[in-house]
Amino acid sequence: MQRFTSLLHRLMPALLLSAVAAAPAVALAAYPEQPIRMIVAYAPGGGTDILARTAAQFVAKHLGGNASVVVVNRPGAGGAIGFAELAKAPADGYTIGFINTPNVLTIPMERKSSFHWQDFDLLGNLVDDPGNFSVHADSPYKSLKELVDHAKANPGAVSYGTTGIGSDDHISALMLERAAGIKMTHVPFKGAAEVHNGLVGKQITVASMNIGEALQYAKGGSALRQLGQMSTARTALAPQVPTFKEQGYDIVMASLRGVAAPKGLPSAVREQLVTAVQKAAADPEFQAKAAGFFAPLRYLPPPAYAAELKEAEAGFRQLWQAMPWGEK
């Protein structure tokens, strides 16, 4: 026993020194210690992708330190592939992503899915982008009425591209079919960039996309003509484009694009991410860049964002009962 006590006394200074040396490393460890993935559930080049790549820079900036946020595209199934991957990722703060309405709300109504919007920790909404119908500049249709008249006389002849079944683009087109008594042909794509390419290549008659996306492509030199926007009133982004309501069809549809993470983030990490998203949204440089690609910003903090998703989900459930939009 005496020999053991003597040995312990000799070892104690070394043990204490090791403990003191290790303590600062533990104390200084801070989130984030590695790059953060930002999942985008749509193909590169669309409105969400462009917004995400811009937002990623500013979220990283406001996390501070050596933080970096890397965009990862997971397109397909109207967003379901990316949303599911985001929901199932470890809730450690190293995977975040964009969720889009109505897709994140409607997909679980249409079919069995591995996610629901309540499976995410909401970090804040950034964009609220109204829907839009665009045609090629060479198209004979100068107004929504002319398009509807042609579709009415030629059922199925008008084809329209969307970002997938159950997307805002798809549902709004179905609403127009119902309101106008017409039948068009749906062509789903993996993202707005593909819809745009389909229209420019004259593979489809109409591109159903968000007004911000349409204006961005037009600015880039694409020969597009906007037939109408699905806002309650003409937006500041496109004051020259009449609303659907002005043209006799009371259709209002828009896409929220917000940042979320898998449910169950550590509270301190969640607080850091919520603050970084809020500061990014308020950053004048981010706002200027967003205006440059026609992204209509509308920041919502997590509680207000959750309330809006809950209300929208109830509305889409009623719509689903009255007008199921799944492909037959």
Side-chain angles (χ1 to χ4, degrees):
M1 182 68 180
Q2 185 176 358
R3 286 166 54 189
F4 173 76
T5 304
S6 175
L7 178 63
L8 186 61
H9 284 165
R10 289 199 303 272
L11 290 175
M12 186 64 73
L15 292 171
L16 287 172
L17 185 61
S18 298
V20 170
V26 173
L28 292 175
Y31 169 82
E33 297 177 277
Q34 63 192 55
I36 299 167
R37 292 193 313 147
M38 177 181 278
I39 294 175
V40 172
Y42 300 94
T48 303
D49 178 70
I50 294 169
L51 172 70
R53 292 181 187 280
T54 304
Q57 303 169 31
F58 289 90
V59 170
K61 169 185 172 181
H62 292 291
L63 280 171
N66 296 316
S68 66
V69 181
V70 181
V71 172
V72 179
N73 297 89
R74 293 289 187 263
I81 292 172
F83 300 151
E85 182 173 332
L86 178 61
K88 291 185 286 188
D92 56 9
Y94 291 103
T95 302
I96 61 176
F98 269 80
I99 58 173
N100 302 56
T101 62
N103 306 51
V104 75
L105 304 175
T106 59
I107 289 171
M109 298 177 199
E110 303 162 11
R111 56 192 185 269
K112 185 177 180 180
S113 69
S114 57
F115 65 88
H116 184 270
W117 71 267
Q118 292 179 334
D119 295 329
F120 301 105
D121 270 341
L122 302 178
L123 305 177
N125 185 69
L126 290 179
V127 161
D128 187 352
D129 198 356
N132 159 263
F133 262 24
S134 291
V135 294
H136 196 284
D138 293 341
S139 168
Y141 313 118
K142 304 290 196 302
S143 68
L144 197 56
K145 181 182 184 304
E146 290 182 1
L147 179 74
V148 166
D149 287 347
H150 179 76
K152 194 170 290 187
N154 303 275
V158 171
S159 58
Y160 66 97
T162 76
T163 53
I165 299 167
S167 64
D168 53 325
D169 316 320
H170 182 212
I171 295 172
S172 58
L174 292 179
M175 292 169 74
L176 178 63
E177 284 186 328
R178 189 182 190 197
I182 59 175
K183 179 61 182 174
M184 301 184 291
T185 299
H186 182 211
V187 183
F189 292 91
K190 292 182 179 178
E194 292 185 12
V195 176
H196 164 253
N197 291 339
L199 184 65
V200 171
K202 299 185 179 180
Q203 298 163 359
I204 53 176
T205 313
V206 179
S208 181
M209 61 173 68
N210 297 109
I211 187 69
E213 292 167 332
L215 294 173
Q216 179 188 336
Y217 293 131
K219 181 184 178 183
S222 292
L224 305 185
R225 179 187 302 133
Q226 286 84 49
L227 298 185
Q229 56 183 316
M230 302 172 199
S231 46
T232 54
R234 297 192 188 196
T235 62
L237 287 176
Q240 77 285 3
V241 179
T243 66
F244 273 48
K245 191 171 184 176
E246 285 178 67
Q247 300 178 77
Y249 301 102
D250 192 5
I251 297 171
V252 176
M253 184 68 71
S255 175
L256 294 181
R257 298 177 196 150
V259 188
K263 193 78 170 181
L265 289 177
S267 58
V269 170
R270 183 178 184 278
E271 184 177 343
Q272 281 181 262
L273 284 167
V274 168
T275 300
V277 171
Q278 180 183 23
K279 288 183 176 179
D283 192 308
E285 188 180 354
F286 171 70
Q287 293 176 353
K289 288 192 173 186
F293 54 80
F294 302 99
L297 298 179
R298 182 183 170 219
Y299 172 72
L300 292 172
Y305 190 14
E308 189 128 346
L309 290 178
K310 184 177 181 180
E311 181 180 356
E313 181 182 38
F316 283 118
R317 285 198 182 281
Q318 289 182 348
L319 187 61
W320 173 254
Q321 294 300 319
M323 189 190 71
W325 51 78
E327 297 283 37
K328 300 202 171 35

